[in-house]
mmCIF file of all heavy atoms in Angstrom:
data_model
loop_
_atom_site.group_PDB
_atom_site.id
_atom_site.type_symbol
_atom_site.label_atom_id
_atom_site.label_comp_id
_atom_site.label_asym_id
_atom_site.label_seq_id
_atom_site.Cartn_x
_atom_site.Cartn_y
_atom_site.Cartn_z
ATOM 1 N N THR A 89 -3.488 24.275 -5.179
ATOM 2 C CA THR A 89 -3.733 22.847 -5.051
ATOM 3 C C THR A 89 -4.723 22.337 -6.095
ATOM 4 O O THR A 89 -4.452 21.365 -6.788
ATOM 5 C CB THR A 89 -4.227 22.526 -3.634
ATOM 6 O OG1 THR A 89 -3.263 23.016 -2.709
ATOM 7 C CG2 THR A 89 -4.393 21.039 -3.432
ATOM 8 N N VAL A 90 -5.871 22.976 -6.243
ATOM 9 C CA VAL A 90 -6.888 22.501 -7.193
ATOM 10 C C VAL A 90 -6.381 22.618 -8.622
ATOM 11 O O VAL A 90 -6.459 21.677 -9.408
ATOM 12 C CB VAL A 90 -8.215 23.267 -7.010
ATOM 13 C CG1 VAL A 90 -9.204 22.891 -8.088
ATOM 14 C CG2 VAL A 90 -8.790 23.012 -5.631
ATOM 15 N N THR A 91 -5.824 23.769 -8.952
ATOM 16 C CA THR A 91 -5.299 23.972 -10.301
ATOM 17 C C THR A 91 -4.147 23.014 -10.568
ATOM 18 O O THR A 91 -4.035 22.458 -11.658
ATOM 19 C CB THR A 91 -4.828 25.432 -10.472
ATOM 20 O OG1 THR A 91 -5.885 26.293 -10.095
ATOM 21 C CG2 THR A 91 -4.414 25.703 -11.895
ATOM 22 N N GLY A 92 -3.297 22.823 -9.554
ATOM 23 C CA GLY A 92 -2.161 21.921 -9.709
ATOM 24 C C GLY A 92 -2.594 20.491 -9.982
ATOM 25 O O GLY A 92 -2.030 19.820 -10.836
ATOM 26 N N MET A 93 -3.606 20.026 -9.264
ATOM 27 C CA MET A 93 -4.086 18.649 -9.490
ATOM 28 C C MET A 93 -4.719 18.516 -10.868
ATOM 29 O O MET A 93 -4.526 17.514 -11.550
ATOM 30 C CB MET A 93 -5.077 18.231 -8.397
ATOM 31 C CG MET A 93 -4.405 17.794 -7.107
ATOM 32 S SD MET A 93 -3.118 16.541 -7.312
ATOM 33 C CE MET A 93 -4.048 15.137 -7.882
ATOM 34 N N ALA A 94 -5.477 19.533 -11.275
ATOM 35 C CA ALA A 94 -6.087 19.493 -12.618
ATOM 36 C C ALA A 94 -4.994 19.437 -13.681
ATOM 37 O O ALA A 94 -5.097 18.675 -14.653
ATOM 38 C CB ALA A 94 -6.992 20.702 -12.829
ATOM 39 N N ALA A 95 -3.946 20.232 -13.486
ATOM 40 C CA ALA A 95 -2.826 20.223 -14.427
ATOM 41 C C ALA A 95 -2.141 18.856 -14.428
ATOM 42 O O ALA A 95 -1.776 18.339 -15.482
ATOM 43 C CB ALA A 95 -1.831 21.325 -14.066
ATOM 44 N N PHE A 96 -1.989 18.267 -13.243
ATOM 45 C CA PHE A 96 -1.340 16.960 -13.168
ATOM 46 C C PHE A 96 -2.187 15.890 -13.846
ATOM 47 O O PHE A 96 -1.662 15.029 -14.549
ATOM 48 C CB PHE A 96 -1.027 16.563 -11.725
ATOM 49 C CG PHE A 96 -0.168 15.335 -11.656
ATOM 50 C CD1 PHE A 96 1.197 15.436 -11.806
ATOM 51 C CD2 PHE A 96 -0.729 14.083 -11.486
ATOM 52 C CE1 PHE A 96 2.008 14.304 -11.780
ATOM 53 C CE2 PHE A 96 0.066 12.947 -11.454
ATOM 54 C CZ PHE A 96 1.436 13.064 -11.600
ATOM 55 N N VAL A 97 -3.510 15.926 -13.661
ATOM 56 C CA VAL A 97 -4.389 14.950 -14.313
ATOM 57 C C VAL A 97 -4.281 15.087 -15.830
ATOM 58 O O VAL A 97 -4.194 14.088 -16.553
ATOM 59 C CB VAL A 97 -5.850 15.093 -13.828
ATOM 60 C CG1 VAL A 97 -6.794 14.271 -14.691
ATOM 61 C CG2 VAL A 97 -5.959 14.663 -12.367
ATOM 62 N N ALA A 98 -4.256 16.313 -16.338
ATOM 63 C CA ALA A 98 -4.109 16.520 -17.787
ATOM 64 C C ALA A 98 -2.760 15.975 -18.268
ATOM 65 O O ALA A 98 -2.690 15.283 -19.294
ATOM 66 C CB ALA A 98 -4.246 18.000 -18.114
ATOM 67 N N TYR A 99 -1.709 16.275 -17.512
ATOM 68 C CA TYR A 99 -0.374 15.769 -17.840
ATOM 69 C C TYR A 99 -0.367 14.242 -17.812
ATOM 70 O O TYR A 99 0.158 13.584 -18.709
ATOM 71 C CB TYR A 99 0.648 16.333 -16.855
ATOM 72 C CG TYR A 99 1.976 15.616 -16.867
ATOM 73 C CD1 TYR A 99 2.914 15.869 -17.859
ATOM 74 C CD2 TYR A 99 2.288 14.673 -15.891
ATOM 75 C CE1 TYR A 99 4.128 15.212 -17.877
ATOM 76 C CE2 TYR A 99 3.505 14.010 -15.897
ATOM 77 C CZ TYR A 99 4.412 14.280 -16.890
ATOM 78 O OH TYR A 99 5.617 13.619 -16.909
ATOM 79 N N ASP A 100 -0.969 13.682 -16.775
ATOM 80 C CA ASP A 100 -1.017 12.232 -16.621
ATOM 81 C C ASP A 100 -1.740 11.585 -17.798
ATOM 82 O O ASP A 100 -1.287 10.579 -18.335
ATOM 83 C CB ASP A 100 -1.713 11.865 -15.305
ATOM 84 C CG ASP A 100 -1.806 10.372 -15.113
ATOM 85 O OD1 ASP A 100 -0.745 9.735 -14.943
ATOM 86 O OD2 ASP A 100 -2.931 9.841 -15.131
#
Side-chain angles (χ1 to χ4, degrees):
T89 304
V90 173
T91 307
M93 280 308 294
F96 189 82
V97 169
Y99 165 79
D100 179 67

